[in-house]
Amino acid sequence: MGTNTMLWPILLILSLLALQTAVCEESGPVIVEEPDNRVDFSNSTGANIHCSVRGHPKPTVVWVKADDGTAIGDVPGLRKVLSNGTLMFPPFRAEDYRQEVHAQVYRCQATNPHGTVHSRDVHVRAVVQQFYKTSVGEEYVIKGNAALIKCNIPSFVADFVKVTS
Ligand SMILES: *[C@@H]1O[C@H](CO)[C@@H](O)[C@H](O)[C@H]1NC(C)=O
Ligand SMILES: *[C@@H]1O[C@H](CO)[C@@H](O)[C@H](O)[C@H]1NC(C)=O
C-alpha cells in the first residue's frame, strides 16, 4: 500500500511528460506540393490536380473558388474532390461543358486545429477537342506593294493556336 502511493506521483509526471512531447510535435498545415498556376486540358483527357499537405494532426484539404473562397463540391461526372487532396476532372462529352466548372480559378485549402493555409490560384481551363478550320482571306494587292494577310482562327481555339508565318 505504502509503495503504491509513492508510485502515483511518478506515473503522473511520466504521463505529463508524454503529453507534452505529443503537444510539441503538433504543427500547422503546410502545402508540400503546390499545384500548377495554369492547368489546361482537353475534354478527352481530363486532368488531376494534386495538392499534398503536411501537418499534425493531419490537415483536411478542400478546394475553394478563388474569387469568393467558397468550398466546392462534386459535380457528377465533371468534377470530384478526393479525400487525399486531389481535384479530379474526368474526361467529358462536348455537350457537358460547364463554364463554372471548366473555366474557373481554384485554390486548395488545408486546415487543422493550428491553422489554415491555401495554395496559389490555379487557373483551370478545359477545351473541347473538335475540328476547326483556319482560313486566309483573299487580299488584292498592287504588284510590288506589301500585303497584310489575316489568318482567321475560330475564337474557341485561338488561345491554343500558334501562327508561325
Ligand atoms: C489521390 O488518389 C487518386 C485516386 O486514388 C490518385 O489518382 C491520386 O494520384 C492521389 N493523389 C496523390 C497526391 O497521391
Ligand atoms: C470530346 O469532344 C469531342 C468533340 O465533341 C468528342 O468527339 C469526344 O468524344 C469527346 N471526348 C469524350 C471523352 O467524350
Side-chain angles (χ1 to χ4, degrees), residues 48 50 82 84 86:
N48 284 341
H50 302 298
L82 304 177
N84 64 6
T86 294

Side-chain angles (χ1 to χ4, degrees), residues 43-44 91-94 128-130:
N43 74 298
S44 294
F92 62 93
R93 291 174 311 166
V128 172
Q129 260 183 357
Q130 50 192 317

Side-chain angles (χ1 to χ4, degrees), residues 33 48-53 82-88:
E33 187 193 345
N48 284 341
I49 307 175
H50 302 298
C51 176
S52 59
V53 300
L82 304 177
S83 54
N84 64 6
T86 294
L87 179 61
M88 201 173 94

